[in-house]
Amino acid sequence: GVYSSQDGKTWQKISNEAVGWIVGIDNILLGWINDSNEIKKSVDGGVTWTVAQTAVNNVTDIETSDSLILVSSYGGGYISTDLGETWTQASISGPLTWIKESNAFFRITGNGTERSVDGTTWTQVFNYRLDIIYNPIEEKLYGIGSNSKTYVSSDDGETWSLDGDAFITGAKLIWSIYAGRAIGVKENCLRLSYNMQEYEEIYF
């Protein structure tokens, strides 16, 4: 089912719909589940859902900017410019990341990391997988490569330079505006870092 919370502490079930992952754009929610080719859409905060598009193959990721919806799918993908009303097939596969401050999408391919501003034209910017975050304090992008190194970019991700050893690899990476540092999410702990190299761990 789908649950909602006003404070992150208490949760209320609002729908019995099977939706594993949810992203938002404007007042629209888009959802999908692993091993499914259905892109689901809600216009009432997740209470009711309809199938907005049925992809040819299973959906692997959905990412949104302020005006675009990109859908990654095995063997292809989709783009919508009208909040999921209509869809255009596109060559999009692999994990997606939208960095608002750089006005760019990034995706992981077999050749490394690619960048796009429209979801249609992609340029390879790095020859490793990069998990990318934006550091608002330094106003730079940081990426942790699959080679366990940290890289930094000052030109919105078009070029990257080595910054040092990474504080975490193979984990979900986010930037906390509240803590003012990077957080790597592992299976049973969090790693927190101010400089992308040194860290402290919190187990749960």
Side-chain angles (χ1 to χ4, degrees), residues 113-156:
T113 303
E114 297 182 350
R115 179 184 185 274
S116 176
V117 295
D118 58 9
T120 301
T121 302
W122 295 84
T123 302
Q124 184 168 334
V125 294
F126 208 74
N127 58 353
Y128 289 104
R129 174 191 178 118
L130 282 180
D131 293 316
I132 300 171
I133 58 173
Y134 176 76
N135 181 335
I137 297 175
E138 298 182 13
E139 298 184 341
K140 295 178 181 178
L141 293 181
Y142 281 90
I144 291 183
S146 54
N147 61 345
S148 301
K149 301 291 184 180
T150 298
Y151 297 86
V152 61
S153 174
S154 300
D155 57 5
D156 296 327

mmCIF file of all heavy atoms in Angstrom, residues 113-156:
data_model
loop_
_atom_site.group_PDB
_atom_site.id
_atom_site.type_symbol
_atom_site.label_atom_id
_atom_site.label_comp_id
_atom_site.label_asym_id
_atom_site.label_seq_id
_atom_site.Cartn_x
_atom_site.Cartn_y
_atom_site.Cartn_z
ATOM 1 N N THR A 113 29.346 7.203 -17.043
ATOM 2 C CA THR A 113 28.310 8.154 -16.662
ATOM 3 C C THR A 113 28.072 9.147 -17.791
ATOM 4 O O THR A 113 29.018 9.710 -18.344
ATOM 5 C CB THR A 113 28.710 8.921 -15.386
ATOM 6 O OG1 THR A 113 28.954 7.974 -14.345
ATOM 7 C CG2 THR A 113 27.617 9.872 -14.952
ATOM 8 N N GLU A 114 26.803 9.367 -18.135
ATOM 9 C CA GLU A 114 26.436 10.293 -19.202
ATOM 10 C C GLU A 114 25.566 11.414 -18.645
ATOM 11 O O GLU A 114 24.899 11.259 -17.618
ATOM 12 C CB GLU A 114 25.700 9.560 -20.322
ATOM 13 C CG GLU A 114 26.556 8.501 -21.010
ATOM 14 C CD GLU A 114 25.839 7.824 -22.152
ATOM 15 O OE1 GLU A 114 24.613 8.024 -22.308
ATOM 16 O OE2 GLU A 114 26.501 7.082 -22.907
ATOM 17 N N ARG A 115 25.574 12.544 -19.363
ATOM 18 C CA ARG A 115 24.860 13.750 -18.931
ATOM 19 C C ARG A 115 23.936 14.232 -20.043
ATOM 20 O O ARG A 115 24.265 14.135 -21.236
ATOM 21 C CB ARG A 115 25.882 14.842 -18.584
ATOM 22 C CG ARG A 115 25.308 16.184 -18.143
ATOM 23 C CD ARG A 115 26.437 17.186 -17.918
ATOM 24 N NE ARG A 115 25.966 18.445 -17.381
ATOM 25 C CZ ARG A 115 25.511 19.452 -18.120
ATOM 26 N NH1 ARG A 115 25.472 19.324 -19.448
ATOM 27 N NH2 ARG A 115 25.110 20.576 -17.554
ATOM 28 N N SER A 116 22.774 14.781 -19.663
ATOM 29 C CA SER A 116 21.829 15.321 -20.631
ATOM 30 C C SER A 116 21.019 16.430 -19.992
ATOM 31 O O SER A 116 20.738 16.394 -18.791
ATOM 32 C CB SER A 116 20.887 14.220 -21.138
ATOM 33 O OG SER A 116 19.903 14.743 -22.013
ATOM 34 N N VAL A 117 20.630 17.413 -20.795
ATOM 35 C CA VAL A 117 19.747 18.473 -20.292
ATOM 36 C C VAL A 117 18.325 18.296 -20.808
ATOM 37 O O VAL A 117 17.407 18.953 -20.301
ATOM 38 C CB VAL A 117 20.271 19.876 -20.683
ATOM 39 C CG1 VAL A 117 21.610 20.149 -20.011
ATOM 40 C CG2 VAL A 117 20.388 20.021 -22.195
ATOM 41 N N ASP A 118 18.123 17.415 -21.796
ATOM 42 C CA ASP A 118 16.789 17.249 -22.370
ATOM 43 C C ASP A 118 16.311 15.798 -22.369
ATOM 44 O O ASP A 118 15.178 15.516 -22.792
ATOM 45 C CB ASP A 118 16.742 17.793 -23.802
ATOM 46 C CG ASP A 118 17.747 17.122 -24.741
ATOM 47 O OD1 ASP A 118 18.375 16.121 -24.336
ATOM 48 O OD2 ASP A 118 17.900 17.614 -25.869
ATOM 49 N N GLY A 119 17.143 14.863 -21.929
ATOM 50 C CA GLY A 119 16.768 13.464 -21.913
ATOM 51 C C GLY A 119 16.874 12.768 -23.246
ATOM 52 O O GLY A 119 16.674 11.555 -23.345
ATOM 53 N N THR A 120 17.194 13.528 -24.272
ATOM 54 C CA THR A 120 17.293 12.967 -25.623
ATOM 55 C C THR A 120 18.738 12.822 -26.062
ATOM 56 O O THR A 120 19.154 11.768 -26.567
ATOM 57 C CB THR A 120 16.539 13.854 -26.625
ATOM 58 O OG1 THR A 120 15.165 13.943 -26.228
ATOM 59 C CG2 THR A 120 16.618 13.277 -28.023
ATOM 60 N N THR A 121 19.518 13.882 -25.892
ATOM 61 C CA THR A 121 20.931 13.867 -26.270
ATOM 62 C C THR A 121 21.778 13.658 -25.028
ATOM 63 O O THR A 121 21.692 14.433 -24.064
ATOM 64 C CB THR A 121 21.322 15.196 -26.947
ATOM 65 O OG1 THR A 121 20.498 15.396 -28.097
ATOM 66 C CG2 THR A 121 22.781 15.155 -27.377
ATOM 67 N N TRP A 122 22.616 12.612 -25.055
ATOM 68 C CA TRP A 122 23.445 12.258 -23.904
ATOM 69 C C TRP A 122 24.913 12.329 -24.277
ATOM 70 O O TRP A 122 25.300 11.916 -25.372
ATOM 71 C CB TRP A 122 23.107 10.859 -23.403
ATOM 72 C CG TRP A 122 21.721 10.739 -22.864
ATOM 73 C CD1 TRP A 122 20.573 10.510 -23.575
ATOM 74 C CD2 TRP A 122 21.315 10.869 -21.499
ATOM 75 N NE1 TRP A 122 19.487 10.483 -22.743
ATOM 76 C CE2 TRP A 122 19.912 10.693 -21.461
ATOM 77 C CE3 TRP A 122 22.003 11.105 -20.304
ATOM 78 C CZ2 TRP A 122 19.182 10.760 -20.269
ATOM 79 C CZ3 TRP A 122 21.279 11.158 -19.118
ATOM 80 C CH2 TRP A 122 19.898 10.990 -19.104
ATOM 81 N N THR A 123 25.733 12.858 -23.367
ATOM 82 C CA THR A 123 27.172 12.965 -23.577
ATOM 83 C C THR A 123 27.890 12.262 -22.438
ATOM 84 O O THR A 123 27.587 12.504 -21.264
ATOM 85 C CB THR A 123 27.614 14.448 -23.615
ATOM 86 O OG1 THR A 123 26.903 15.118 -24.651
ATOM 87 C CG2 THR A 123 29.109 14.548 -23.873
ATOM 88 N N GLN A 124 28.843 11.387 -22.775
ATOM 89 C CA GLN A 124 29.599 10.718 -21.726
ATOM 90 C C GLN A 124 30.545 11.713 -21.066
ATOM 91 O O GLN A 124 31.311 12.396 -21.736
ATOM 92 C CB GLN A 124 30.395 9.538 -22.287
ATOM 93 C CG GLN A 124 31.118 8.753 -21.191
ATOM 94 C CD GLN A 124 31.669 7.428 -21.674
ATOM 95 O OE1 GLN A 124 31.152 6.860 -22.618
ATOM 96 N NE2 GLN A 124 32.705 6.938 -21.024
ATOM 97 N N VAL A 125 30.471 11.781 -19.731
ATOM 98 C CA VAL A 125 31.299 12.731 -18.982
ATOM 99 C C VAL A 125 32.305 12.034 -18.083
ATOM 100 O O VAL A 125 33.191 12.686 -17.526
ATOM 101 C CB VAL A 125 30.424 13.689 -18.145
ATOM 102 C CG1 VAL A 125 29.591 14.585 -19.051
ATOM 103 C CG2 VAL A 125 29.543 12.917 -17.168
ATOM 104 N N PHE A 126 32.151 10.707 -17.918
ATOM 105 C CA PHE A 126 33.082 9.979 -17.062
ATOM 106 C C PHE A 126 33.068 8.513 -17.446
ATOM 107 O O PHE A 126 32.032 7.985 -17.859
ATOM 108 C CB PHE A 126 32.706 10.148 -15.585
ATOM 109 C CG PHE A 126 33.863 10.031 -14.647
ATOM 110 C CD1 PHE A 126 34.793 11.044 -14.545
ATOM 111 C CD2 PHE A 126 34.036 8.902 -13.881
ATOM 112 C CE1 PHE A 126 35.873 10.937 -13.683
ATOM 113 C CE2 PHE A 126 35.103 8.780 -13.010
ATOM 114 C CZ PHE A 126 36.033 9.809 -12.914
ATOM 115 N N ASN A 127 34.225 7.859 -17.305
ATOM 116 C CA ASN A 127 34.322 6.468 -17.737
ATOM 117 C C ASN A 127 34.115 5.470 -16.603
ATOM 118 O O ASN A 127 34.401 4.283 -16.753
ATOM 119 C CB ASN A 127 35.670 6.207 -18.422
ATOM 120 C CG ASN A 127 36.852 6.532 -17.533
ATOM 121 O OD1 ASN A 127 36.683 7.068 -16.448
ATOM 122 N ND2 ASN A 127 38.048 6.236 -17.997
ATOM 123 N N TYR A 128 33.640 5.939 -15.449
ATOM 124 C CA TYR A 128 33.215 5.077 -14.352
ATOM 125 C C TYR A 128 31.782 5.440 -13.987
ATOM 126 O O TYR A 128 31.277 6.509 -14.347
ATOM 127 C CB TYR A 128 34.089 5.272 -13.100
ATOM 128 C CG TYR A 128 35.491 4.748 -13.193
ATOM 129 C CD1 TYR A 128 36.571 5.617 -13.368
ATOM 130 C CD2 TYR A 128 35.761 3.390 -13.074
ATOM 131 C CE1 TYR A 128 37.869 5.147 -13.447
ATOM 132 C CE2 TYR A 128 37.058 2.906 -13.149
ATOM 133 C CZ TYR A 128 38.105 3.782 -13.331
ATOM 134 O OH TYR A 128 39.391 3.315 -13.404
ATOM 135 N N ARG A 129 31.151 4.540 -13.239
ATOM 136 C CA ARG A 129 29.865 4.880 -12.633
ATOM 137 C C ARG A 129 30.101 5.945 -11.575
ATOM 138 O O ARG A 129 30.985 5.818 -10.730
ATOM 139 C CB ARG A 129 29.239 3.644 -11.978
ATOM 140 C CG ARG A 129 27.961 3.958 -11.199
ATOM 141 C CD ARG A 129 27.525 2.782 -10.341
ATOM 142 N NE ARG A 129 26.337 3.142 -9.582
ATOM 143 C CZ ARG A 129 25.159 2.549 -9.689
ATOM 144 N NH1 ARG A 129 25.021 1.535 -10.522
ATOM 145 N NH2 ARG A 129 24.143 2.945 -8.961
ATOM 146 N N LEU A 130 29.301 7.011 -11.586
ATOM 147 C CA LEU A 130 29.374 8.061 -10.580
ATOM 148 C C LEU A 130 28.039 8.195 -9.873
ATOM 149 O O LEU A 130 26.999 8.378 -10.517
ATOM 150 C CB LEU A 130 29.726 9.411 -11.221
ATOM 151 C CG LEU A 130 31.179 9.697 -11.603
ATOM 152 C CD1 LEU A 130 31.281 11.087 -12.214
ATOM 153 C CD2 LEU A 130 32.102 9.580 -10.390
ATOM 154 N N ASP A 131 28.046 8.090 -8.539
ATOM 155 C CA ASP A 131 26.886 8.451 -7.733
ATOM 156 C C ASP A 131 27.063 9.917 -7.351
ATOM 157 O O ASP A 131 27.993 10.268 -6.616
ATOM 158 C CB ASP A 131 26.804 7.574 -6.491
ATOM 159 C CG ASP A 131 26.515 6.124 -6.841
ATOM 160 O OD1 ASP A 131 25.646 5.898 -7.700
ATOM 161 O OD2 ASP A 131 27.166 5.232 -6.277
ATOM 162 N N ILE A 132 26.167 10.779 -7.832
ATOM 163 C CA ILE A 132 26.399 12.225 -7.819
ATOM 164 C C ILE A 132 25.478 12.932 -6.830
ATOM 165 O O ILE A 132 24.289 12.633 -6.732
ATOM 166 C CB ILE A 132 26.188 12.804 -9.237
ATOM 167 C CG1 ILE A 132 27.169 12.149 -10.220
ATOM 168 C CG2 ILE A 132 26.361 14.316 -9.244
ATOM 169 C CD1 ILE A 132 26.890 12.491 -11.665
ATOM 170 N N ILE A 133 26.038 13.906 -6.099
ATOM 171 C CA ILE A 133 25.266 14.794 -5.243
ATOM 172 C C ILE A 133 25.747 16.228 -5.462
ATOM 173 O O ILE A 133 26.859 16.459 -5.944
ATOM 174 C CB ILE A 133 25.386 14.443 -3.745
ATOM 175 C CG1 ILE A 133 26.851 14.474 -3.305
ATOM 176 C CG2 ILE A 133 24.741 13.111 -3.437
ATOM 177 C CD1 ILE A 133 27.033 14.315 -1.807
ATOM 178 N N TYR A 134 24.901 17.180 -5.090
ATOM 179 C CA TYR A 134 25.265 18.599 -5.141
ATOM 180 C C TYR A 134 25.545 19.087 -3.734
ATOM 181 O O TYR A 134 24.743 18.877 -2.817
ATOM 182 C CB TYR A 134 24.133 19.416 -5.764
ATOM 183 C CG TYR A 134 24.396 20.908 -5.776
ATOM 184 C CD1 TYR A 134 25.283 21.454 -6.697
ATOM 185 C CD2 TYR A 134 23.758 21.753 -4.869
ATOM 186 C CE1 TYR A 134 25.521 22.826 -6.709
ATOM 187 C CE2 TYR A 134 23.988 23.120 -4.881
ATOM 188 C CZ TYR A 134 24.881 23.648 -5.811
ATOM 189 O OH TYR A 134 25.128 25.004 -5.824
ATOM 190 N N ASN A 135 26.711 19.731 -3.547
ATOM 191 C CA ASN A 135 27.087 20.304 -2.270
ATOM 192 C C ASN A 135 26.774 21.806 -2.307
ATOM 193 O O ASN A 135 27.491 22.577 -2.945
ATOM 194 C CB ASN A 135 28.582 20.082 -2.006
ATOM 195 C CG ASN A 135 29.039 20.627 -0.670
ATOM 196 O OD1 ASN A 135 28.440 21.548 -0.122
ATOM 197 N ND2 ASN A 135 30.123 20.076 -0.148
ATOM 198 N N PRO A 136 25.694 22.261 -1.640
ATOM 199 C CA PRO A 136 25.307 23.670 -1.713
ATOM 200 C C PRO A 136 26.262 24.593 -0.978
ATOM 201 O O PRO A 136 26.274 25.802 -1.233
ATOM 202 C CB PRO A 136 23.916 23.677 -1.072
ATOM 203 C CG PRO A 136 23.928 22.517 -0.141
ATOM 204 C CD PRO A 136 24.778 21.472 -0.807
ATOM 205 N N ILE A 137 27.052 24.046 -0.048
ATOM 206 C CA ILE A 137 28.002 24.884 0.678
ATOM 207 C C ILE A 137 29.135 25.322 -0.246
ATOM 208 O O ILE A 137 29.524 26.490 -0.276
ATOM 209 C CB ILE A 137 28.549 24.124 1.902
ATOM 210 C CG1 ILE A 137 27.402 23.820 2.870
ATOM 211 C CG2 ILE A 137 29.636 24.923 2.593
ATOM 212 C CD1 ILE A 137 27.807 22.964 4.045
ATOM 213 N N GLU A 138 29.658 24.373 -1.010
ATOM 214 C CA GLU A 138 30.746 24.678 -1.942
ATOM 215 C C GLU A 138 30.245 24.982 -3.347
ATOM 216 O O GLU A 138 31.027 25.389 -4.205
ATOM 217 C CB GLU A 138 31.724 23.502 -1.985
ATOM 218 C CG GLU A 138 32.383 23.208 -0.646
ATOM 219 C CD GLU A 138 33.385 22.083 -0.737
ATOM 220 O OE1 GLU A 138 33.758 21.693 -1.856
ATOM 221 O OE2 GLU A 138 33.810 21.582 0.323
ATOM 222 N N GLU A 139 28.934 24.767 -3.587
ATOM 223 C CA GLU A 139 28.319 24.969 -4.897
ATOM 224 C C GLU A 139 29.042 24.166 -5.972
ATOM 225 O O GLU A 139 29.368 24.667 -7.049
ATOM 226 C CB GLU A 139 28.282 26.463 -5.254
ATOM 227 C CG GLU A 139 27.440 27.283 -4.282
ATOM 228 C CD GLU A 139 27.340 28.743 -4.691
ATOM 229 O OE1 GLU A 139 28.186 29.204 -5.486
ATOM 230 O OE2 GLU A 139 26.414 29.419 -4.210
ATOM 231 N N LYS A 140 29.270 22.899 -5.669
ATOM 232 C CA LYS A 140 29.946 21.989 -6.598
ATOM 233 C C LYS A 140 29.238 20.647 -6.589
ATOM 234 O O LYS A 140 28.501 20.317 -5.652
ATOM 235 C CB LYS A 140 31.413 21.786 -6.187
ATOM 236 C CG LYS A 140 32.278 23.019 -6.271
ATOM 237 C CD LYS A 140 33.702 22.708 -5.795
ATOM 238 C CE LYS A 140 34.596 23.923 -5.835
ATOM 239 N NZ LYS A 140 35.964 23.621 -5.331
ATOM 240 N N LEU A 141 29.474 19.878 -7.639
ATOM 241 C CA LEU A 141 29.009 18.500 -7.689
ATOM 242 C C LEU A 141 30.119 17.581 -7.210
ATOM 243 O O LEU A 141 31.293 17.795 -7.520
ATOM 244 C CB LEU A 141 28.627 18.102 -9.115
ATOM 245 C CG LEU A 141 27.424 18.782 -9.752
ATOM 246 C CD1 LEU A 141 27.189 18.224 -11.152
ATOM 247 C CD2 LEU A 141 26.187 18.602 -8.904
ATOM 248 N N TYR A 142 29.725 16.576 -6.447
ATOM 249 C CA TYR A 142 30.662 15.528 -6.050
ATOM 250 C C TYR A 142 30.128 14.191 -6.545
ATOM 251 O O TYR A 142 28.912 13.939 -6.505
ATOM 252 C CB TYR A 142 30.833 15.493 -4.533
ATOM 253 C CG TYR A 142 31.760 16.568 -4.011
ATOM 254 C CD1 TYR A 142 31.265 17.817 -3.648
ATOM 255 C CD2 TYR A 142 33.120 16.342 -3.903
ATOM 256 C CE1 TYR A 142 32.106 18.811 -3.187
ATOM 257 C CE2 TYR A 142 33.977 17.331 -3.430
ATOM 258 C CZ TYR A 142 33.462 18.560 -3.078
ATOM 259 O OH TYR A 142 34.303 19.542 -2.627
ATOM 260 N N GLY A 143 31.022 13.351 -7.005
ATOM 261 C CA GLY A 143 30.643 12.022 -7.451
ATOM 262 C C GLY A 143 31.557 10.977 -6.861
ATOM 263 O O GLY A 143 32.776 11.182 -6.788
ATOM 264 N N ILE A 144 30.966 9.886 -6.423
ATOM 265 C CA ILE A 144 31.758 8.760 -5.935
ATOM 266 C C ILE A 144 31.766 7.698 -7.020
ATOM 267 O O ILE A 144 30.707 7.218 -7.442
ATOM 268 C CB ILE A 144 31.192 8.199 -4.626
ATOM 269 C CG1 ILE A 144 31.397 9.223 -3.501
ATOM 270 C CG2 ILE A 144 31.857 6.880 -4.261
ATOM 271 C CD1 ILE A 144 30.949 8.749 -2.147
ATOM 272 N N GLY A 145 32.958 7.374 -7.484
ATOM 273 C CA GLY A 145 33.097 6.448 -8.589
ATOM 274 C C GLY A 145 33.089 5.002 -8.156
ATOM 275 O O GLY A 145 33.335 4.670 -6.992
ATOM 276 N N SER A 146 32.814 4.124 -9.103
ATOM 277 C CA SER A 146 32.843 2.693 -8.827
ATOM 278 C C SER A 146 34.253 2.196 -8.562
ATOM 279 O O SER A 146 34.452 1.041 -8.192
ATOM 280 C CB SER A 146 32.223 1.926 -10.000
ATOM 281 O OG SER A 146 32.850 2.286 -11.221
ATOM 282 N N ASN A 147 35.250 3.071 -8.729
ATOM 283 C CA ASN A 147 36.642 2.738 -8.404
ATOM 284 C C ASN A 147 37.021 3.190 -6.999
ATOM 285 O O ASN A 147 38.202 3.255 -6.653
ATOM 286 C CB ASN A 147 37.587 3.374 -9.421
ATOM 287 C CG ASN A 147 37.475 4.892 -9.429
ATOM 288 O OD1 ASN A 147 36.531 5.466 -8.890
ATOM 289 N ND2 ASN A 147 38.432 5.552 -10.053
ATOM 290 N N SER A 148 36.010 3.533 -6.166
ATOM 291 C CA SER A 148 36.199 3.928 -4.762
ATOM 292 C C SER A 148 36.946 5.251 -4.612
ATOM 293 O O SER A 148 37.597 5.484 -3.596
ATOM 294 C CB SER A 148 36.919 2.827 -3.971
ATOM 295 O OG SER A 148 36.193 1.625 -4.016
ATOM 296 N N LYS A 149 36.841 6.134 -5.591
ATOM 297 C CA LYS A 149 37.438 7.460 -5.528
ATOM 298 C C LYS A 149 36.343 8.524 -5.579
ATOM 299 O O LYS A 149 35.250 8.298 -6.102
ATOM 300 C CB LYS A 149 38.417 7.679 -6.686
ATOM 301 C CG LYS A 149 39.574 6.692 -6.743
ATOM 302 C CD LYS A 149 40.541 6.894 -5.594
ATOM 303 C CE LYS A 149 41.744 5.961 -5.725
ATOM 304 N NZ LYS A 149 42.712 6.133 -4.607
ATOM 305 N N THR A 150 36.653 9.706 -5.028
ATOM 306 C CA THR A 150 35.747 10.846 -5.075
ATOM 307 C C THR A 150 36.213 11.828 -6.136
ATOM 308 O O THR A 150 37.406 12.127 -6.240
ATOM 309 C CB THR A 150 35.681 11.560 -3.714
ATOM 310 O OG1 THR A 150 35.168 10.657 -2.742
ATOM 311 C CG2 THR A 150 34.761 12.770 -3.773
ATOM 312 N N TYR A 151 35.255 12.350 -6.906
ATOM 313 C CA TYR A 151 35.556 13.320 -7.954
ATOM 314 C C TYR A 151 34.694 14.555 -7.749
ATOM 315 O O TYR A 151 33.605 14.490 -7.164
ATOM 316 C CB TYR A 151 35.304 12.709 -9.335
ATOM 317 C CG TYR A 151 36.204 11.531 -9.620
ATOM 318 C CD1 TYR A 151 35.860 10.251 -9.203
ATOM 319 C CD2 TYR A 151 37.416 11.691 -10.280
ATOM 320 C CE1 TYR A 151 36.697 9.163 -9.434
ATOM 321 C CE2 TYR A 151 38.261 10.611 -10.527
ATOM 322 C CZ TYR A 151 37.892 9.355 -10.092
ATOM 323 O OH TYR A 151 38.718 8.284 -10.323
ATOM 324 N N VAL A 152 35.179 15.692 -8.230
ATOM 325 C CA VAL A 152 34.472 16.949 -8.043
ATOM 326 C C VAL A 152 34.348 17.667 -9.382
ATOM 327 O O VAL A 152 35.219 17.550 -10.246
ATOM 328 C CB VAL A 152 35.218 17.853 -7.019
ATOM 329 C CG1 VAL A 152 36.618 18.195 -7.499
ATOM 330 C CG2 VAL A 152 34.417 19.105 -6.705
ATOM 331 N N SER A 153 33.229 18.384 -9.559
ATOM 332 C CA SER A 153 32.991 19.146 -10.781
ATOM 333 C C SER A 153 32.512 20.543 -10.432
ATOM 334 O O SER A 153 31.623 20.705 -9.585
ATOM 335 C CB SER A 153 31.943 18.448 -11.656
ATOM 336 O OG SER A 153 31.602 19.245 -12.771
ATOM 337 N N SER A 154 33.090 21.542 -11.086
ATOM 338 C CA SER A 154 32.690 22.941 -10.884
ATOM 339 C C SER A 154 31.947 23.501 -12.091
ATOM 340 O O SER A 154 31.614 24.694 -12.116
ATOM 341 C CB SER A 154 33.928 23.808 -10.603
ATOM 342 O OG SER A 154 34.598 23.363 -9.444
ATOM 343 N N ASP A 155 31.681 22.643 -13.097
ATOM 344 C CA ASP A 155 31.006 23.114 -14.315
ATOM 345 C C ASP A 155 29.761 22.289 -14.615
ATOM 346 O O ASP A 155 29.508 21.890 -15.753
ATOM 347 C CB ASP A 155 31.958 23.110 -15.505
ATOM 348 C CG ASP A 155 32.571 21.731 -15.776
ATOM 349 O OD1 ASP A 155 32.175 20.752 -15.095
ATOM 350 O OD2 ASP A 155 33.442 21.633 -16.656
ATOM 351 N N ASP A 156 28.975 22.038 -13.566
ATOM 352 C CA ASP A 156 27.686 21.351 -13.690
ATOM 353 C C ASP A 156 27.808 19.921 -14.207
ATOM 354 O O ASP A 156 26.889 19.395 -14.834
ATOM 355 C CB ASP A 156 26.733 22.143 -14.588
ATOM 356 C CG ASP A 156 26.380 23.494 -14.001
ATOM 357 O OD1 ASP A 156 26.305 23.581 -12.755
ATOM 358 O OD2 ASP A 156 26.204 24.454 -14.763
#
